[in-house]
Amino acid sequence: MKNNVKYILCFLSLLLVFIACKKNTYSLGDLTAPSNLVITTAVQGQNTANPNGDGSGNVTITVTADNALS
């Protein structure tokens, strides 16, 4: 009898877990493509004497656009 009660409780608890789960829905709204995309690069140490930079390999990249998400 105790064995049957254990199985029934396990079945009911599993049933409760599956019934309680709910799938979330997310919405971003209207998506528009970014416009006026501008990419600016700057090489570290670049000057007239060193047109390829100072040799460190560091480059700063800045991106701006209208209607961008991030």
Side-chain angles (χ1 to χ4, degrees):
M1 183 68 176
K2 287 183 181 182
N3 205 10
N4 289 338
V5 172
K6 248 196 302 189
Y7 287 124
I8 291 172
L9 287 176
C10 287
F11 175 74
L12 290 176
S13 63
L14 284 174
L15 184 64
L16 180 65
V17 167
F18 286 114
I19 291 173
C21 294
K22 182 180 175 185
K23 186 175 181 179
N24 294 335
T25 57
Y26 301 102
S27 175
L28 289 174
D30 293 335
L31 295 177
T32 57
S35 60
N36 297 331
L37 180 65
V38 177
I39 300 174
T40 308
T41 59
V43 179
Q44 182 177 344
Q46 186 178 24
N47 55 25
T48 55
N50 297 314
N52 294 326
D54 61 3
S56 66
N58 295 330
V59 179
T60 303
I61 301 172
T62 306
V63 180
T64 58
D66 296 335
N67 298 324
L69 292 176
S70 60

